[in-house]
C-alpha cells in the first residue's frame, strides 16, 4: 500500500534553516521515496512501511543532532501526484 505524508519541521532554535535543510537532505537518500518541498512543507510518497520507517529514523536522528524540534505530519493512505498544481 502506498502512503503520502506532508511533513513540517519546526526546530526550536534561532538558526532553524540548517536543521530543515539537513532533514530534507536525509530524506533524499531514500531511493524509493519521492519527495517534493515547497515554502511550507515537504511531501513524501512511497510504500507505507518505508515511509513510516524513514520518518521514525530521520525524526529520531534530527532530535539527536539538533535537539528539540516539533514535527507536524499529515498522512493520507494512497499515492498522490506530488507534482500536481492548480
Amino acid at each position: 500500500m502506498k502512503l503520502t505524508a506532508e511533513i513540517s519541521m519546526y526546530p526550536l532554535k534561532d538558526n532553524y534553516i540548517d536543521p530543515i535543510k539537513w532533514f530534507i537532505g536525509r530524506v533524499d537518500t531514500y531511493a524509493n521515496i519521492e519527495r517534493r518541498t515547497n515554502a511550507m512543507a515537504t511531501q513524501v510518497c512511497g510504500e507505507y512501511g518505508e515511509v513510516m520507517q524513514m520518518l521514525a529514523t530521520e525524526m529520531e536522528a534530527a532530535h539527536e543532532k539538533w535537539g528539540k524540534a516539533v514535527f507536524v505530519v499529515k498522512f493520507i493512505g494512497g499515492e498522490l501526484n506530488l507534482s500536481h498544481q492548480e
Side-chain angles (χ1 to χ4, degrees), residues 1-6 33-36 42-47 51 74-85:
M1 175 180 178
K2 295 283 187 172
L3 177 68
T4 303
E6 180 177 87
I33 296 177
E34 179 185 1
R35 179 203 48 94
R36 176 82 58 178
T42 295
Q43 292 86 30
V44 295
C45 184
E47 288 299 322
V51 170
K74 296 185 280 186
F75 299 97
I76 183 164
E79 183 174 11
L80 295 182
N81 179 357
L82 299 183
S83 63
H84 175 77
Q85 295 182 3

Side-chain angles (χ1 to χ4, degrees), residues 17-77:
I17 297 295
D18 288 343
I20 292 169
K21 286 183 176 181
W22 177 88
F23 183 83
I24 292 169
R26 302 236 336 170
V27 169
D28 282 343
T29 67
Y30 292 80
N32 295 330
I33 296 177
E34 179 185 1
R35 179 203 48 94
R36 176 82 58 178
T37 298
N38 61 42
M40 296 286 294
T42 295
Q43 292 86 30
V44 295
C45 184
E47 288 299 322
Y48 196 102
E50 292 180 35
V51 170
M52 294 300 283
Q53 182 59 51
M54 178 275 294
L55 289 173
T57 298
E58 299 310 330
M59 288 190 301
E60 180 179 8
H63 286 128
E64 287 175 351
K65 180 169 178 70
W66 301 100
K68 293 182 181 178
V70 175
F71 287 89
V72 177
V73 186
K74 296 185 280 186
F75 299 97
I76 183 164

